[in-house]
């Protein structure tokens, strides 16, 4: 297969150095009394956190080195994302593993009732960091579910006011919604560019900013996104078609780029991700014309996570994305022991088969033990769809 070298983006080089700058910013904010909230999931509306005058970072772990710390407390047979996150938070630096400082800086964790493993992990986390849990109705298409979710978000709004001492006004909420929608629109622009054939940017590169969106401040994220879009827009159109791949499934938090790197080293290019480190994070905007709490509840309850049942919206999204991004194949990516996404694979596979789109299923963890084996399967898949 003809290979074409991907462009190297200055924005992404700069992004590499953003960690220490952000840590300094958080430390300064905390000195001046600003609260830092840690979250784990897209179902927690950032707009409410920011409207309360707090900052936030997402605490999902994507690194393998904190998994063993967690395994001293948690069963081995749960998903690596849960173990890595828990290990990062409780890591006191005595284990010989460099402590990730933002994990130890949060004033409150805002959790959500999604999968069983996370729910139970949050109960344990309470011993380390004050933890607030938003209950999430899991049959999202009923009017009762929406009503209940609105009431849960109202309670969360009160909890944030208590944490920061600021009253959240509707005006402030609307402002945050407007700001977040602008960022969502920028992501749409970036994804629009990926529709070109060949795509001017690799999926591994896009993943870098998708992962950092959960760590950077909202202002910085917007700045980086704008710079990246400018760079991508100015790339000379390439000539060599590469198999266009969509990733669908579990999130790939910071530190976890294993599968995208393997796929792209085998000649494919990832053009879309149906994932929480992908389209689920920005695809739908919040309706700015509505009463803000209702608009937030309506937007967030529709996130097609596999904890929802039924979750046909996800199947529809996958088919729509596959068409829009003209994908040649889908990599169905699940983390080990993630039952929701693992079981939902059956429905996705059936729908893709009916649509004539090939799918390769990869179930993995954060270790490198299966890199070779995934590589061989990816090779065969590329061969098939080329
Ligand atoms: S909205 S995908 S961020 S819950 S991989 S911990 S589901 S066992 S991360 Fe998620 Fe929110 Fe859903 Fe997105 Fe459980 Fe599965 Fe592990 Fe997961």
């Amino acid at each position: 297969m003809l290979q074409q070298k991907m462009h190297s983006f200055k924005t992404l080089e700069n992004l590499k150095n953003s960690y220490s700058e952000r840590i300094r910013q958080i430390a300064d904010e905390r000195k001046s009394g600003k609260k830092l909230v840690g979250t784990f999931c897209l179902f927690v509306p950032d707009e409410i956190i920011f409207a309360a005058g707090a900052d936030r970072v997402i605490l999902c772990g994507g690194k393998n080195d904190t998994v063993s710390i967690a395994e001293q407390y948690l069963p081995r047979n749960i998903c690596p994302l849960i173990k890595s996150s828990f290990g990062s938070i409780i890591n006191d630096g005595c284990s010989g593993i460099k402590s990730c400082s933002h994990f130890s800086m949060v004033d409150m964790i805002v959790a959500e009732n999604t999968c069983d493993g996370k729910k139970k992990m949050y109960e344990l986390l309470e011993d380390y960091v004050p933890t607030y849990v938003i209950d999430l109705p899991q049959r999202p298409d009923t009017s009762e579910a929406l009503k209940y979710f609105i009431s849960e978000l109202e309670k969360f709004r009160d909890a944030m006011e208590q944490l920061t001492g600021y009253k959240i006004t509707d005006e402030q909420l609307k402002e945050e919604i407007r700001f977040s929608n602008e960022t969502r629109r920028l992501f749409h622009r970036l994804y629009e560019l990926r529709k070109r054939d060949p795509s001017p940017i690799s999926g591994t590169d896009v993943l870098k900013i998708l992962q950092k969106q959960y760590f950077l401040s909202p202002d910085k994220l917007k700045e980086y996104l704008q710079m990246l879009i400018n760079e991508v827009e100015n790339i000379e159109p390439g000539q060599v078609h590469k198999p266009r791949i969509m990733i669908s499934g579990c999130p790939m938090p910071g530190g976890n780029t294993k599968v995208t790197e393997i796929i792209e080293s085998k000649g494919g290019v990832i053009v879309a991700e149906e994932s929480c480190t992908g389209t689920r994070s920005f695809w739908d905007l919040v309706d700015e014309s509505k009463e803000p709490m209702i608009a937030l509840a309506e937007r967030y309850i529709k996130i097609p996570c596999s904890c929802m049942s039924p979750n046909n919206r996800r199947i529809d999204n996958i088919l729509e994305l596959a068409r829009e991004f003209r994908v040649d194949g889908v990599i169905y990516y699940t983390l080990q022991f993630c039952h929701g996404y693992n079981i939902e694979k059956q429905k996705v596979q059936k729908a893709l088969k009916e649509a004539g789109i090939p799918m390769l299923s990869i179930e993995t963890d954060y270790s490198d033990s299966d890199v070779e084996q995934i590589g061989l399967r990816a090779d065969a898949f590329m061969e098939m769809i080329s």
Side-chain angles (χ1 to χ4, degrees):
M1 186 176 297
L2 265 172
Q3 295 278 345
Q4 185 181 304
K5 203 174 171 309
M6 294 306 278
H7 186 87
S8 153
F9 295 96
K10 211 166 150 229
T11 308
L12 298 176
E13 276 306 306
N14 295 341
L15 198 62
K16 271 193 208 156
N17 307 322
S18 61
Y19 188 82
S20 47
E21 193 191 322
R22 175 68 167 141
I23 290 293
R24 269 198 304 280
Q25 181 194 13
I26 293 171
D28 289 347
E29 286 176 352
R30 292 186 79 229
K31 255 189 238 152
S32 67
K34 192 165 185 160
K35 301 291 182 192
L36 181 67
V37 169
T39 62
F40 289 90
C41 175
L42 291 190
F43 282 110
V44 179
D46 287 339
E47 289 92 336
I48 296 178
I49 298 172
F50 297 134
D55 201 346
R56 79 95 178 87
V57 283
I58 286 197
L59 303 176
C60 287
K63 291 188 177 152
N64 198 41
D65 54 6
T66 52
V67 166
S68 58
I69 305 172
E71 283 176 348
Q72 294 166 33
Y73 304 83
L74 304 174
R76 294 171 73 91
N77 58 348
I78 56 170
C79 112
L81 189 152
I82 296 174
K83 287 189 284 190
S84 174
S85 309
F86 188 78
S88 298
I89 292 163
I90 66 165
N91 179 20
D92 55 8
C94 305
S95 50
I97 293 168
K98 200 168 139 267
S99 186
C100 236
S101 39
H102 69 282
F103 286 95
S104 58
M105 292 168 104
V106 298
D107 297 288
M108 185 168 87
I109 282 174
V110 178
E112 76 311 313
N113 278 341
T114 45
C115 68
D116 285 349
K118 267 184 165 180
K119 274 193 280 204
K120 291 289 141 186
M121 188 253 289
Y122 297 144
E123 290 176 16
L124 301 187
L125 271 188
E126 180 67 67
D127 287 345
Y128 300 87
V129 189
T131 301
Y132 181 89
V133 182
I134 299 175
D135 193 21
L136 183 70
Q138 298 193 353
R139 295 185 71 79
D141 297 322
T142 63
S143 59
E144 291 84 356
L146 180 64
K147 246 165 90 191
Y148 181 69
F149 194 45
I150 292 171
S151 71
E152 276 299 294
L153 292 189
E154 292 287 359
K155 280 192 255 170
F156 171 46
R157 178 179 178 159
D158 294 344
M160 284 306 306
E161 288 180 347
Q162 265 184 28
L163 177 75
T164 63
Y166 287 110
K167 182 99 193 110
I168 301 177
T169 62
D170 277 2
E171 283 59 44
Q172 192 57 44
L173 268 180
K174 282 183 183 166
E175 181 52 31
E176 295 300 339
I177 289 171
R178 198 190 51 75
F179 191 92
S180 297
N181 275 348
E182 277 174 14
T183 307
R184 292 179 182 117
R185 286 191 194 96
L186 285 177
F187 270 115
H188 273 277
R189 275 183 55 199
L190 180 62
Y191 272 58
E192 210 43 51
L193 295 166
R194 301 173 82 187
K195 288 182 182 169
R196 291 182 190 164
D197 188 13
S199 169
I201 182 166
S202 72
T204 307
D205 276 348
V206 175
L207 186 59
K208 289 175 191 158
I209 194 147
L210 286 164
Q211 291 177 333
K212 274 277 167 43
Q213 70 172 309
Y214 300 123
F215 177 66
L216 294 172
S217 71
D219 289 321
K220 268 283 167 212
L221 171 63
K222 218 182 226 179
E223 209 179 299
Y224 277 114
L225 258 174
Q226 189 61 70
M227 287 189 308
L228 184 60
I229 290 166
N230 291 346
E231 277 194 84
V232 179
E233 270 173 348
N234 287 315
I235 285 186
E236 290 289 318
Q239 304 297 327
V240 186
H241 172 82
K242 293 178 171 189
R244 299 171 65 80
I245 305 291
M246 177 165 77
I247 300 272
S248 172
C250 293
M252 296 178 177
N256 175 15
T257 48
K258 179 168 84 176
V259 169
T260 56
E261 281 173 10
I262 296 174
I263 298 301
E264 296 195 322
S265 74
K266 299 295 175 188
V269 61
I270 294 157
V271 293
E273 306 79 9
E274 187 281 318
S275 155
C276 290
T277 38
T279 53
R280 274 184 238 138
S281 67
F282 67 85
W283 204 255
D284 291 332
L285 271 58
V286 179
D287 189 337
E288 294 177 34
S289 67
K290 288 192 173 169
E291 200 272 294
M293 291 301 279
I294 295 174
L296 285 171
E298 283 177 351
R299 188 268 179 199
Y300 279 83
I301 203 174
K302 281 194 197 135
I303 295 169
C305 170
S306 71
C307 68
M308 293 296 187
S309 173
N311 194 26
N312 296 331
R313 185 176 286 123
R314 177 164 175 240
I315 312 290
D316 297 342
N317 282 356
I318 291 170
L319 293 176
E320 192 188 316
L321 288 168
R323 270 191 296 269
E324 240 184 281
F325 287 83
R326 289 174 292 134
V327 307
D328 297 306
V330 170
I331 301 288
Y332 195 90
Y333 167 80
T334 43
L335 289 171
Q336 278 173 1
F337 310 111
C338 174
H339 304 317
Y341 283 98
N342 260 325
I343 295 171
E344 224 163 70
K345 178 171 66 189
Q346 302 303 323
K347 285 196 169 196
V348 175
Q349 189 155 33
K350 185 166 176 274
L352 286 173
K353 196 170 175 197
E354 282 165 12
I357 302 165
M359 179 185 117
L360 172 70
S361 169
I362 293 176
E363 183 182 349
T364 185
D365 59 10
Y366 289 171
S367 75
D368 286 337
S369 59
D370 55 0
V371 167
E372 207 174 318
Q373 187 224 356
I374 295 174
L376 289 173
R377 296 182 62 220
D379 250 341
F381 188 64
M382 290 313 151
E383 204 63 44
M384 184 182 95
I385 62 176
S386 293

